[in-house]
Each structure stands twice: as C-alpha cells, then as structure tokens.
Amino acid sequence: TQLLEQSPQFLSIQEGENLTVYCNSSSVFSSLQWYRQEPGEGPVLLVTVVTGGEVKKLKRLTFQFGDARKDSSLHITAAQPGDTGLYLCAGEHQGGSEKLVFGKGMKLTVNP
Amino acid sequence: EPEVTQTPSHQVTQMGQEVILRCVPISNHLYFYWYRQILGQKVEFLVSFYNNEISEKSEIFDDQFSVERPDGSNFTLKIRSTKLEDSAMYFCASRNRDREPLHFGNGTRLTVT
C-alpha cells in the first residue's frame, strides 16, 4: 500500500505570509499531482510533476518533486484570501496500476 | 473548457436500496474512474474502466458495486444494496490517455440513512 502523508493538515495564516506544504511517501511515484478542492466540488488539477528534482511555477505557487520521486512540496508566496482551500497531493505509482493515491490534504485558511 | 458532469449532486437513500450515480465524462476521453471521499477522509480509488471493461478495482469495489458505460456518453456507478458506510462523496473522473492528469466532476454526495 502506497501512502502519501501531507503536512501540515491545517494552516491558518494572514494575507501576505508565505507557506510550504509537504507531501511525503516511502514509495516511488512515476508522477505526482497537486489538486485544489473547494467545499462541495471535485479536485481541480494545479500541476503535474514527473521528473525527479523538477520545479514548476504557477504564479505565486512553486511545486517541487523530490529527487527520488518520493516526496513533493508546494510553496505559496504572499498568500491571498483567494488561496483558501484544501490542497491535495496525489501520486501515480510506477508499474501497471492506474490509480491515484491521495494524501489527506492540507486545509489552508488565509485571513485578510 | 469541457468538464466532467455528475448527477445528481445529492442523493439520499435508505439502507438496502439500490442507487445509480451518473457521470458524463469529457467527450474525447477514453479512461474513466470512480473515486470516493468519506467525510474527513482521503479520496480513495474505487475502479478504472477502459475499452468497455474494468481495468482495475480496489478492495472497496466489492460485488455490491458495478459500473457501466451504456452508451457513448454516460458512465454509471451502481450500488446494489447500500449500507450506512457507503455514505460519501463519489467523484467521477476521466482522461484522454494513460498517465495524463485526471479531470474530476463535482461529485455526488450520497447519504444512506
């Protein structure tokens, strides 16, 4: 069983602060995806990382895939109230399995 | 932008009843999935479907569950005899090719009483 552990699970910060969310596993993933989920809606894809050490930027969001492809981080610079939501990481295992393994998520609240 | 649509958004049913959750995947997608999320827990994989057959299923997807693609647009999840523990958000997802990112619908909230 591949597990993805996210930390922290909850974070409440003030507008303008920076934050980093971590996604860790003992398993190697062929790719890792970050989603954002609003209440009552499905996960919406933010980014996919596939290469060990890869860094991708999406405006104020920076995503990194670990060199060994077992972990990832999401860094948000100058958080805005609009960044409030649930951030999920999900990994796709190497080999034949198609399923995504999800972390439990990090619930972010950005206060104005 | 094309999206995955799910109906109904909320379904309430009594224990032991059959329910069918409906999904319309993105039209040119070939791979279809159901996931579920029990309140406060992780999103969990249920089943994948490709080329008109199940390609992978989890241990959750027992004999009470079935999936069907009855026509060229719909993808359904049937639970034959619902249990209280089936209460969850059920998400349909699709993708065009293997290893491409998944596109999720907004889910059906199933409440079993």
Side-chain angles (χ1 to χ4, degrees), chain A residues 90-101:
Chain A
E92 195 151 7
H93 191 232
Q94 283 184 308
S97 177
E98 297 178 52
K99 67 181 181 184
L100 276 183
V101 176

Side-chain angles (χ1 to χ4, degrees), chain B residues 36-44 85-90:
Chain B
R36 80 171 184 189
Q37 187 177 30
I38 294 172
L39 187 64
Q41 297 188 24
K42 298 180 183 184
V43 177
E44 302 173 289
E85 54 265 37
D86 293 328
S87 295
M89 283 288 288
Y90 286 81

Side-chain angles (χ1 to χ4, degrees), chain A residues 45 92 95 97-98 100 104, chain B residues 33 35 40 55-56 95 99 101:
Chain A
L45 180 71
E92 195 151 7
S97 177
E98 297 178 52
L100 276 183
K104 203 169 179 178
Chain B
Y33 304 84
Y35 284 76
S55 46
E56 187 176 354
R95 58 182 167 186
R99 306 293 163 175

Side-chain angles (χ1 to χ4, degrees), chain A residues 44-60:
Chain A
V44 176
L45 180 71
L46 295 174
V47 79
T48 300
V49 285
V50 296
T51 307
E54 182 176 3
V55 176
K56 281 191 174 178
K57 289 184 183 291
L58 186 66
K59 297 182 180 178
R60 294 177 290 101

